[in-house]
Amino acid sequence: MKAFFSNFKGDVFGGLTSGIVALPLALAFGVSSGLGPSAGLYGAIFISFFAALFGGTDTQISGPTAPMTAVSMLLVAGVIGANDGSVEKALPIILIVFLMAGLMQIGLGAIGIGKYIRYIPYPVVSGFMTAIGVMILITQFLPALGYYPKEDTDFVEKFKPQAEEVILNKILKEEAGEGILVLENFKETIKRAEIISEDEISLEAITLASNEASGVVGAIKSLPRALSNVNYLELILCVVTIILVYGFKKITTAIPSTLVSLIIVSGVAYGFDLKYKLIEEIPTGFPVPNLSIFSEFKIEAITPYIFTALSLAFLGAIDSLLTSVVADNMTKTKHKPNKELMGQGIGNSIAAIFGGIPGAGATIRTVVNINAGGKTRLSGMIAAIILLIILLALGPVASKIPAAVLAGILITVGIGVMDYRGLKAVPHMPRIEVGIMVIVLVLSVFWNLVYAVGVGLIIASVIFMKKMGDVTASQSKIESLKGTEYDNDEKPWKDEKNLTTELKKEIFVKHLNGPVFFGATSELQRLATQIPESASHVILRMDRVPYMDQSGVYTLEDIILNLEKKGVKPYIVGIQKQPLYLAKNTGIIPDLIPEESVFEDFDPCINYLRNLVKDTDTSDTI
């Protein structure tokens, strides 16, 4: 406990500063997710507090982040669309998926996955992060222009015929559930259809219009309409916000520029009573748990989203541990990756119960915390308390923030999250790595974030195996002893210099240098066909083979079988522990090569063979 308060003053300043920095971002991420500003604020409060309390990085500040929000946005839009556009119906499913993601993170930490996250290839991370930035930028074009598809009456009007069809399908489903056969009772269907009001059709049309314009593709499709229906007040508010975010940084970085732009632009817009679009109202009072996620839990409803929950868990793990590395570099400390994952999982799980969106370790907020003096986990907890105080005291005030201001802040976030270091290096990178980055980028933006990363990982892994196979194969040599019929420049080893001419006629010595694995099997097979006709014994020298994989051991097995068909007897010398273990477990030893034909050293083997070939000439040496 003493250590907990060992840097109290610094932690208070660090928590206060990072909490203030988190406020506009939390509101913006909440709006972007589709669940409203309060969801972003709740996520920031609970994730920051509990991830700091239970995590493995003392100075890390956690909360909603751009990558996590991007995936959450897709989930929210998909679940709402699958539930007739009703947020009320969709919310329990959305939150249970968020809860599952948190529990999965706890599981990942418990089984020790944290230490393996660093092995994700950089081109995959680079393509993914740039895609996040592009997605945020594109999806914010419409609110930046002040265009909201569901408020465009001409656009909504086009969906009314489809809305009537959707409503009719609902009636038919209801009747099927009640056991009413439509073909036998048209009157009941007509009766129910006649009571459908114009408001119901309009509401359904609005939902369809919103779904049509959602996401990256929807935003691109709607851009022409947005450009012809620009709300210049909203556009000006957005542009001024962006200018202030970048411009104020040149004056000072002591005060967060996002907060300054939020206060100034919102204050001016509210003070002059401008007719701008408000963000959704933020509920007042202490957050309460949303118990409907348990009471309305249905396994069949969340089954389609299990993979999305797992993706959120892995993404949050990557996001958090990358930030932990940044914190380590700044503080000269060492984080505990698995403990950090468990802390993030606990934070995300609790945030989901209270209706918050998921998050992870936030790099900018963590850097701000460290620079302001934060050194212990207390700073992250104080940041959460600051946000809670703002929620309780200033909730009604925050509800007056223009939506265009948050759009402007999100645009700066989108610009900032892109991996410019990776983009600048494109001309100097290997083409295949550039290809991986571009594939992940394009698939993430226009298809699916989660699947894009999976495809990128598979391609990168296959290419890595190919490269390592080529490199190791080039360093692995499978050569015969100089002086036999299959001659090359391989020099005899020290203990082979006294082989006589008689022995060289009947004994073929093969040197295996380096790992024998899938990349070296073709060379092994090629050399096996070039054993001299006169040879009746083959010595495989495996002193320098540290590793053999399944491909290598099966190739070796095939070679030994072919040798036996030709009447050539094989021997193994100097086999190391791992190859020996594999050879015994696959039956090569003793089924194909008996124990007495396996020697630790070359001398006992050659003495054994001298007796077999009746060597009488001891004067000739290589």
Side-chain angles (χ1 to χ4, degrees), residues 546-560:
Y547 173 79
M548 179 181 290
D549 73 354
Q550 194 170 12
S551 299
V553 78
Y554 287 153
T555 301
L556 186 62
E557 183 180 40
D558 291 340
I559 290 170
I560 292 170

Side-chain angles (χ1 to χ4, degrees), residues 302-326:
I302 64 164
T303 301
Y305 307 107
I306 290 176
F307 187 70
T308 303
L310 184 61
S311 304
L312 278 168
F314 270 106
L315 178 57
I318 297 167
D319 208 1
S320 299
L321 294 182
L322 288 176
T323 302
S324 296
V325 172
V326 173

Side-chain angles (χ1 to χ4, degrees), residues 389-410:
I389 292 172
I390 292 173
L391 171 67
L392 296 176
L394 302 175
V397 176
S399 297
K400 303 297 182 182
I401 295 172
V405 172
L406 294 188
I409 291 173
L410 281 170

